[in-house]
Amino acid sequence: MSDGDPESTTAGSRLAGYDAVVYDLDGTLVELAVDWDAVADAVLDVYAEHALIPPTEELWDLLGAADDYGIRDEVEAAIADHERPGARESALLPLGDRLTGIAAGADAGSHPPAGVCSLNCEEACRIAADTHGLDDALVSDAIVGRDTVETHKPDPASLLAAIDRLGAAPENALFVGDSQSDAVTAERGGVDFAWVSDLLAE
């Protein structure tokens, strides 16, 4: 699948070449008001409360190791406790603003069905969408967080789940993100990828 008409001047017309578009959330559509260093400290506290020696101090690696230590639920809760208020206090980013404008405008039909694939918990994704009026631009069932399916980015299962819920095939979908992890997720899932900066430059 190509990236659409190279002469397009809006993200909506460019994305019309796809059957579905999935967006990352934090750093792509919104900016969560979260101190991630504080989140990592909270997760380290969970390890300490269970008298466990953490294998790393990197937040997402701590989450990945939580299953092995039998503390997945506690670690998820510690992260989500920061994400939910951070979603309520989040800032709408330019691409998120553009998406809401397309959904509300006369050219709404030019944008394919859209969903979210995020490393944030699903509840935080939904709070952010509701806070900024992104609900009309997103298919509710296709909002996929790290806890929606069994694995999370960069494993492609969450991205493929969002695409499937949008009724599309991976080869006919586009994933839009802001990180190398997003790019790797798309590559592993056989899905085209676009950087946020590339869409905003159109």
Side-chain angles (χ1 to χ4, degrees):
M1 170 66 71
S2 70
D3 283 352
D5 180 358
E7 297 180 359
S8 296
T9 57
T10 69
S13 57
R14 178 187 177 191
L15 303 184
Y18 292 93
D19 293 338
V21 179
V22 178
Y23 295 92
D24 170 53
L25 182 76
D26 190 25
T28 298
L29 298 179
V30 305
E31 190 74 44
L32 297 188
V34 174
D35 181 342
W36 293 107
D37 289 336
V39 179
D41 288 342
V43 172
L44 288 170
D45 287 343
V46 172
Y47 276 79
E49 288 164 5
H50 288 79
L52 298 169
I53 299 174
T56 175
E57 293 188 356
E58 203 283 321
L59 174 60
W60 302 117
D61 289 340
L62 289 168
L63 173 63
D67 279 329
D68 295 335
Y69 288 85
I71 55 171
R72 179 60 179 258
D73 289 345
E74 293 93 331
V75 168
E76 281 281 4
I79 299 173
D81 283 347
H82 289 259
E83 288 176 315
R84 288 190 294 266
R88 293 186 185 94
E89 298 170 12
S90 61
L92 186 66
L93 293 177
L95 189 60
D97 185 55
R98 180 183 290 184
L99 181 60
T100 58
I102 291 172
D107 59 345
S110 68
H111 195 292
V116 161
C117 172
S118 175
L119 192 54
N120 304 116
C121 68
E122 181 180 331
E123 186 179 2
C125 295
R126 293 188 179 279
I127 291 171
D130 179 67
T131 297
H132 297 290
L134 286 163
D135 307 73
D136 291 339
L138 299 170
V139 175
S140 179
D141 190 48
I143 296 177
V144 177
R146 69 168 179 274
D147 53 349
T148 306
V149 297
E150 292 185 359
T151 62
H152 55 74
K153 299 187 299 185
D155 186 287
S158 54
L159 173 59
L160 296 176
I163 293 170
D164 181 67
R165 293 175 183 193
L166 291 169
E171 62 270 20
N172 296 323
L174 179 70
F175 185 36
V176 181
D178 71 314
S179 71
Q180 189 60 38
S181 176
D182 292 331
V184 170
T185 302
E187 182 178 7
R188 291 179 178 177
V191 179
D192 281 357
F193 179 75
W195 294 95
V196 174
S197 55
D198 291 339
L199 292 188
L200 292 175
E202 293 183 337

